[in-house]
């Protein structure tokens, strides 16, 4: 085993290619649940309405997108448990990654505001759609949890990040498999199924 230095930026596709195995969710029918890192759907849904909500305008298509995605999940013959990221900052990431993301968002927000002021809507939209509007994300998380409860889909909130919670559950044999966000997950590093 070769040790890997901290940080996997740029290497994630390699991890996914080497360690993840594409399968059909129906293969897990009647067995243990399949864990899902739900942030992989929630964050992109919020980013799609970023140009509206970051300008203080109303939006609702992100709710419909998540509801449709949940209906697709329920079409498979296996059971699921959705894992949400906790709101706590994961200490190893907080020192650098979260600060860098906050700085990037502040820079993009400043540029987008200047583009809006200049009437350059298209340029502003591209930037607004890279900035996660936190109140909208928190509202979508709450909405998704309520819909899951109504539909009978199990869910839990990780203390920090869903990746780590799913890795723990898989390592304990509580899950048949894990569905990570596309090319954006620490799961392959843990070597879980």
């Amino acid at each position: 085993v070769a040790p890997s230095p901290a940080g996997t930026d740029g290497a994630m596709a390699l991890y996914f290619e080497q360690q993840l195995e594409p399968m059909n969710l129906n293969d897990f029918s009647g067995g243990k649940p399949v864990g899902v890192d739900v942030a992989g759907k929630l964050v992109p849904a919020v980013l799609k309405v970023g140009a509206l909500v970051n300008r203080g305008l109303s939006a609702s298509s992100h709710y419909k997108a998540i509801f449709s995605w949940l209906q697709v999940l329920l079409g498979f013959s296996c059971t699921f448990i959705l894992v949400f990221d906790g709101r706590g900052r994961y200490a190893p990431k907080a020192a650098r990654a979260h600060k860098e993301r906050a700085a990037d968002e502040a820079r993009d927000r400043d540029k987008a505001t200047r583009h809006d002021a200049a009437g350059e809507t298209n340029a502003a939209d591209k930037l607004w759609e890279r900035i996660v509007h936190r109140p909208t994300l928190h509202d979508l998380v709450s909405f998704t949890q309520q819909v899951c409860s109504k539909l009978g889909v199990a869910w839990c909130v990780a203390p920090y990040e869903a990746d780590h919670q799913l890795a723990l559950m898989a390592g304990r044999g509580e899950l048949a498999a894990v569905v990570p966000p596309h090319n954006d997950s620490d799961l392959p590093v843990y070597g879980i199924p």
Side-chain angles (χ1 to χ4, degrees):
V1 175
S4 175
T8 56
D9 289 351
M12 195 51 66
L14 180 63
Y15 279 118
F16 270 73
E17 182 181 311
Q18 289 182 348
Q19 294 191 26
L20 295 192
E21 184 178 337
M23 299 183 80
N24 189 312
L25 288 171
N26 286 323
D27 294 340
F28 301 103
S29 175
K32 294 176 185 172
V34 173
V36 179
D37 183 342
V38 72
K41 292 296 179 186
L42 298 179
V43 171
V46 170
L47 290 175
K48 284 182 182 175
V49 296
L52 294 172
V53 295
N54 279 297
R55 290 186 178 116
L57 303 174
S58 64
S60 60
S61 62
H62 54 302
Y63 296 107
K64 185 186 244 182
I66 293 301
F67 186 73
S68 297
W69 173 71
L70 287 170
Q71 287 181 308
V72 167
L73 272 188
L74 292 175
F76 290 98
S77 59
C78 58
T79 58
F80 294 94
I81 180 164
L82 274 57
V83 180
F84 294 83
D85 289 327
R87 294 207 185 165
R89 294 285 187 190
Y90 180 57
K93 262 191 173 175
R96 193 185 90 206
H98 292 299
K99 287 179 185 174
E100 288 175 3
R101 286 179 189 167
D104 289 345
E105 283 189 8
R107 185 193 68 242
D108 288 345
R109 184 178 302 280
D110 183 53
K111 285 181 184 176
T113 302
R114 282 188 271 129
H115 282 304
D116 273 338
E120 300 164 346
T121 308
N122 289 339
D125 283 352
K126 288 178 183 174
L127 289 164
W128 287 130
E129 290 171 3
R130 290 174 17 189
I131 301 169
V132 177
H133 189 260
R134 302 287 169 205
T136 301
L137 179 60
H138 294 159
D139 192 57
L140 187 58
V141 165
S142 177
F143 168 80
T144 306
Q145 291 169 343
Q146 291 173 43
V147 171
C148 285
S149 294
K150 292 276 186 192
L151 296 175
V153 177
W155 60 273
C156 69
V157 179
Y160 296 105
E161 298 196 16
D163 306 55
H164 307 146
Q165 183 67 34
L166 287 161
L168 176 71
M169 294 168 75
R172 287 182 174 174
E174 298 169 9
L175 302 174
V178 173
V179 179
H182 178 69
N183 278 10
D184 182 22
S185 177
D186 299 330
L187 288 168
V189 180
Y190 295 107
I192 66 167

